[in-house]
Amino acid sequence: MENQTQNGGSQKPEKEEGKVLRFLSAIERAGNKLPDPFMLFIYLAIFIAIVSWIMSMLGVSVTTPENEVVEVNNMISEEGLIFALSSMLENFTGFAPLGLVLVMMFGIGLAQHVGFFEVVMRGMVMNIPKSLVTYMIIFTGILGNIASDAAMVIIPPLAAMIYYSIGKHPIAGLLTSFVAVSAGFTANFLIAGTDVLLSGISTEVIQGQYSDARAVSPLDNWYFMAASTIMLVVVVSFVSKKLIEPRLGNYDSSFADKGILNEQIEKLRPEQKRGVRNALIAAGVYIILVSLLIVPSNAILRGEEGTIIPSPFLSNIVPLILVLFIILAVVYGFTAGTLKKISDIPEKMGIAMKEMSGFIVLVFAAAQFIAYFEWTNISTIIAVNGSVALENMNVTGVGAMVGFTFISAIVNLFITSGSALWALLAPVFLPMFYQLGYDPAYTQVAFRMGDSAFNILSPMSPYVVMLLGFMKQYDKRAGLGTLMSLMLPFAVIILIAWIIMFVVWSLLGLQVGPGVDIRL
């Protein structure tokens, strides 16, 4: 084909690309100066201790809406030292997200390591009509986030090969699928590990500050995030077809690595197809059995008054999902041959737990920071004064939430770990918006939009670097400026579309999850 583009298919003027590179370089330099997330929380805990000492010396206090006077507790005192020592283990072991996420990863990690997710993702994007390729790849990418970071490694190369095989620009497929997985990381029709992790942090923060506050469930953002899946398929496909593909033009294969264009998507073997079929049948039987415990008016998993909201079903959703993934993994594994004996099951679960070691270490530091923040009452003082300031500025509605979304998006450029970022922002913003009468699950939605949309722009993300490596395989001229100039339309338009959806959702007063209203 005739080459119609330069520099990896980008028609972006060099001067404009230079601005993009300078901006991203500045972010990278600033981000590189930040410590590792573990050490960041350690430093923040020390900072909170020093600030509590200063504020205590100054006699800082606040009067809550309930007319209760709250003073600062000094961490640098005998009482503070005893609290730090005596609560250290409990802060860690009692940290709500820790057990929830590790339990979920028993099932999700097992399904990943027996190959179930990879085979399903490959099956979804193979043998589909050319007119539906883009939509199916985006949809698969968004749903693929249930397999965590594995989807970022599996789906983009597959999408590039599929695009090339049907005469489309492979880099367009590469970028579109990566955007679906990364920018759509928080959306899904299913309850994923992200829901469990974020809701656990939210519960830890809000109940630590307000003992009578309800726990935030992994289901609490389900309605909004399921609808976001549909919205993202439409928006990402629009940007890809109307902006990115025309801009890339025709593909010049002469700049590709030798052999990359000859690679073929490995077809599913018969045993893999049988494995998926049997796993889905087993999962269907399990879902029917669980439904029998929910649907009848006197069912075991209904509430005391026969309600579903609240009910033991909703409060125990994580164990139910865990069993579902174990069933999928075990049935697929033994059918496809990736599991040979029963002892292989705990072995692969153990591998999944080893991969969670970084998360466990991060949780230890984050748990101490959040505990200190709450014990010193600095969080209460910020929440009350912050909510009063917003009320005085008459910024208490959805506009305040949109502003928080923008803050989340910008900070995400520097701190790419969603769990670390929410552990950092939640202690400040959850109580502040709680004081204004907003449900913590609603505030969590505002964070998730900003955190997800700008994932694809952060030069601090190892997956952005990985994507650039994939690009160079198809066009050795591609550089970071090329990549980011192509990512920018995706990120900006996704964020705008998500905010519009969020505003409309809010004005209509729709629930963000089962039984979860915007207002308390």
Side-chain angles (χ1 to χ4, degrees):
M1 294 183 182
E2 180 185 355
N3 178 31
Q4 295 183 350
T5 61
Q6 298 297 323
N7 196 19
S10 173
Q11 295 174 334
K12 189 111 174 155
E14 282 188 23
K15 185 176 181 181
E16 193 172 348
E17 267 200 9
K19 291 180 180 178
V20 173
L21 275 173
R22 286 196 296 272
F23 171 69
L24 292 168
S25 295
I27 291 175
E28 188 172 15
R29 285 194 299 272
N32 286 336
K33 292 180 181 179
L34 290 175
D36 177 85
F38 174 85
M39 293 307 303
L40 177 64
F41 282 112
I42 294 295
Y43 295 148
L44 285 172
I46 296 172
F47 176 73
I48 287 297
I50 295 171
V51 170
S52 72
W53 173 67
I54 295 173
M55 294 176 73
S56 177
M57 295 298 101
L58 295 176
V60 176
S61 64
V62 70
T63 302
T64 68
E66 294 79 23
N67 290 320
E68 177 187 357
V69 177
V70 176
E71 298 179 342
V72 175
N73 289 325
N74 182 9
M75 281 294 299
I76 306 180
S77 65
E78 180 181 346
E79 186 182 8
L81 178 60
I82 292 174
F83 170 78
L85 294 175
S86 62
S87 67
M88 183 179 292
L89 294 181
E90 184 180 349
N91 294 341
F92 175 55
T93 59
F95 195 62
L98 181 62
L100 291 173
V101 172
L102 293 183
V103 165
M104 275 286 285
M105 284 309 298
F106 279 131
I108 292 177
L110 178 62
Q112 179 179 333
H113 287 287
V114 298
F116 175 75
F117 287 134
E118 180 179 355
V119 168
V120 169
M121 285 186 283
R122 281 168 49 203
M124 289 181 69
V125 299
M126 292 172 63
N127 303 318
I128 53 178
K130 183 176 179 180
S131 60
L132 299 178
V133 164
T134 300
Y135 301 103
M136 183 55 76
I137 284 175
I138 296 169
F139 183 67
T140 304
I142 295 172
L143 294 190
N145 68 47
I146 201 167
S148 190
D149 295 349
M152 295 189 188
V153 179
I154 296 170
I155 295 179
L158 283 174
M161 284 189 278
I162 290 172
Y163 263 52
Y164 180 74
S165 68
I166 61 175
K168 294 166 72 80
H169 204 299
I171 290 179
L174 192 69
L175 300 182
T176 300
S177 59
F178 181 79
V179 168
V181 177
S182 189
F185 192 81
T186 199
N188 212 310
F189 284 136
L190 306 173
I191 302 303
T194 304
D195 299 282
V196 176
L197 175 57
L198 297 182
S199 63
I201 294 174
S202 298
T203 297
E204 183 76 19
V205 169
I206 207 65
Q207 289 192 335
Q209 181 106 13
Y210 305 95
S211 57
D212 59 341
R214 70 170 187 86
V216 180
S217 163
L219 279 169
D220 281 0
N221 292 160
W222 184 31
Y223 292 165
F224 187 86
M225 289 306 157
S228 295
T229 302
I230 300 172
M231 180 276 291
L232 287 169
V233 170
V234 174
V235 171
V236 175
S237 62
F238 171 82
V239 176
S240 178
K241 290 182 175 182
K242 300 299 182 181
L243 298 179
I244 304 304
E245 288 187 34
R247 184 172 167 191
L248 285 169
N250 293 333
Y251 179 56
D252 185 353
S253 60
S254 64
F255 292 95
D257 286 351
K258 291 181 179 179
I260 188 67
L261 300 179
N262 296 324
E263 289 188 3
Q264 300 292 323
I265 300 175
E266 182 183 352
K267 293 183 178 181
L268 300 184
R269 298 189 300 274
E271 63 270 22
Q272 292 175 322
K273 293 179 180 179
R274 288 196 302 272
V276 172
R277 181 199 63 195
N278 293 348
L280 293 179
I281 291 173
V285 172
Y286 171 73
I287 291 171
I288 291 172
L289 292 175
V290 172
S291 298
L292 293 176
L293 300 177
I294 302 169
V295 176
S297 58
N298 61 344
I300 296 174
L301 293 181
R302 279 183 177 261
E304 292 182 1
E305 299 180 3
T307 59
I308 294 180
I309 305 173
S311 67
F313 166 65
L314 292 183
S315 59
N316 294 286
I317 192 68
V318 170
L320 291 171
I321 294 175
L322 167 66
V323 174
L324 174 62
F325 280 116
I326 290 177
I327 289 172
L328 287 168
V330 171
V331 174
Y332 172 82
F334 279 112
T335 305
T338 53
L339 290 176
K340 302 295 184 183
K341 51 188 183 296
I342 294 295
S343 59
D344 289 342
I345 297 174
E347 180 183 340
K348 292 189 181 296
M349 283 183 172
I351 294 173
M353 287 300 101
K354 288 178 183 177
E355 294 171 351
M356 295 298 293
S357 59
F359 168 76
I360 295 171
V361 171
L362 175 63
V363 160
F364 177 80
Q368 309 310 319
F369 161 70
I370 291 175
Y372 294 177
F373 201 56
E374 292 169 353
W375 185 84
T376 58
N377 289 327
I378 292 176
S379 58
T380 302
I381 291 172
I382 291 177
V384 173
N385 289 329
S387 60
V388 170
L390 289 174
E391 286 177 336
N392 291 338
M393 293 185 293
N394 199 28
V395 184
T396 58
V398 67
M401 285 291 179
V402 171
F404 174 50
T405 297
F406 278 112
I407 292 173
S408 302
I410 296 302
V411 180
N412 181 52
L413 293 172
F414 302 91
I415 302 175
T416 57
S417 167
S419 57
L421 184 55
W422 187 226
L424 181 64
L425 297 180
V428 176
F429 289 96
L430 274 183
M432 184 183 300
F433 286 117
Y434 191 84
Q435 287 283 337
L436 293 173
Y438 289 107
D439 192 285
Y442 180 63
T443 307
Q444 185 176 277
V445 165
F447 163 77
R448 294 177 75 164
M449 295 188 302
D451 174 57
S452 296
F454 273 23
N455 269 340
I456 57 178
L457 285 182
S458 176
M460 307 304 299
S461 169
Y463 295 105
V464 170
V465 177
M466 177 197 73
L467 182 65
L468 180 58
F470 287 149
M471 280 183 67
K472 284 184 172 293
Q473 288 182 315
Y474 285 96
D475 193 325
K476 61 185 179 183
R477 300 166 298 170
L480 183 60
T482 308
L483 173 59
M484 289 304 170
S485 63
L486 291 168
M487 288 284 100
L488 195 59
F490 278 118
V492 172
I493 294 175
I494 287 172
L495 185 60
I496 291 173
W498 226 334
I499 287 174
I500 291 173
M501 175 181 165
F502 180 73
V503 170
V504 172
W505 197 284
S506 302
L507 293 178
L508 293 176
L510 301 177
Q511 293 184 334
V512 294
V516 182
D517 294 308
I518 292 170
R519 291 282 187 172
L520 294 169

